[in-house]
Amino acid sequence: RYDRRGAGATPGVWEETGFTDNRRDASAALRTLAAHPDIHPDAVGVVGHSEGALHAMTLAARHEVAAVVLLAGFAREGESAFRWQAASVFGGLPAPVRLLRRPLGALAERVLARVKRTRTDVARIAGLLPVNAHWMREMLVHDTRDDLAAVPAAVPVLAVTGDKDVQVPPADLDEIRRLVPGGDTEIHRVPDLTHLLRRDTGRPTIRSYRRLLREPVDPELITLVAEWLRVRLREPLRAPSDERRAARP
């Protein structure tokens, strides 16, 4: 894990950072990790969640990792995923708000069209707070299916999405499995798991996010990912630190 631009001690401005900038940062983090003396560079995997899953697909397609875990990733063009998410989130809002579906939908279309026409990193859309237009423009045209089809056959893939995810289509798991050419592709559609990787037995809605964020990430999910990675990224017989100690006089 690492802090994104503008967070913690990482320099930069998050609101001006593009979608491809985030992917380049992830690639740089991987190179830094692989160069560490206690790390075997040929046994480095990546776990990506939400947007991170999209970047994990690209890193795998570019032969930068030995294994990849996709948590809540989609298999479609960004704009299609954005529209699915908007409809899904809207469906979980209170009934009085849902009655405004038509005017709010028209407003959303105008906002989307305005974002596509922008050329600056940050833009104020429809009088709203400034948005990261740079990130939005790049995300909307990004098609994850290209990367999924380019994942090397030797790279194992684990894809997990909760069946109560309102931000990513759970059905895209089947498309991920179909597109990835390798034989070691495992998918899990986890009952009651939300986009936040916490379980919720109630009706899926973003209104539950504040409550769910006070809970830990689902322990069964952590066990699944850890065990899957342990098997695919087996430790070599001798660790790098042992080799260094053996070379000392």
Side-chain angles (χ1 to χ4, degrees):
R1 293 183 62 86
Y2 56 91
D3 287 330
R4 291 187 176 189
R5 298 188 190 190
T10 304
V13 180
W14 172 246
E15 292 79 6
E16 300 174 358
T17 305
F19 182 84
T20 54
D21 291 329
N22 291 337
R23 191 264 305 158
R24 284 191 286 266
D25 290 347
S27 181
L30 278 175
R31 291 195 301 272
T32 300
L33 180 64
H36 193 283
D38 286 333
I39 297 295
H40 286 272
D42 59 345
V44 174
V46 61
V47 180
H49 170 241
S50 196
E51 180 192 345
L54 313 186
H55 298 309
M57 297 174 192
T58 304
L59 295 171
R62 298 186 179 193
H63 302 240
E64 297 186 38
V65 292
V68 60
V69 178
L70 310 174
L71 303 178
F74 58 76
R76 58 180 67 200
E77 189 180 49
E79 183 170 343
S80 171
F82 178 80
R83 290 179 179 278
W84 185 95
Q85 179 184 114
S88 176
V89 169
F90 192 85
L93 296 179
V97 178
R98 295 201 304 273
L99 293 175
L100 301 174
R101 176 182 296 272
R102 185 166 296 178
L104 289 178
L107 174 62
E109 288 295 335
R110 291 197 297 272
V111 169
L112 192 59
R114 176 73 177 88
V115 168
K116 292 178 179 180
R117 293 195 300 268
T118 60
R119 293 294 180 267
T120 58
D121 291 338
V122 181
R124 188 180 296 274
I125 309 296
L128 304 176
L129 293 174
V131 300
N132 188 332
H134 182 186
W135 182 91
M136 282 289 293
R137 290 193 305 270
E138 294 181 338
M139 190 280 292
L140 289 171
V141 299
H142 180 75
D143 196 327
T144 62
R145 293 171 294 188
D146 297 332
D147 286 332
L148 288 167
V151 174
V155 175
V157 175
L158 172 65
V160 183
T161 302
D163 71 353
K164 289 191 176 177
D165 196 318
V166 296
Q167 293 186 238
V168 170
D172 279 15
L173 285 170
D174 293 324
E175 184 71 353
I176 291 173
R177 181 165 56 184
R178 185 187 72 81
L179 287 167
V180 176
D184 190 0
T185 301
E186 185 176 325
I187 65 172
H188 292 264
R189 182 167 174 165
V190 181
D192 289 333
L193 193 71
T194 67
H195 189 73
L196 299 183
L197 309 182
R198 279 85 165 170
R199 300 203 191 216
D200 191 359
T201 57
R203 181 184 179 187
T205 171
I206 61 171
R207 291 185 294 164
S208 65
Y209 279 17
R210 183 186 296 272
R211 169 177 55 81
L212 292 173
L213 283 171
R214 293 195 292 266
E215 302 174 6
V217 172
D218 183 67
E220 292 183 21
L221 173 65
I222 294 176
T223 299
L224 168 66
V225 172
E227 179 61 18
W228 187 89
L229 285 170
R230 185 190 67 80
V231 172
R232 271 91 184 159
L233 299 176
R234 293 184 182 279
E235 293 185 41
L237 293 178
R238 297 178 65 190
S241 56
D242 292 336
E243 296 169 0
R244 290 202 313 276
R245 283 196 293 270
R248 291 173 182 167

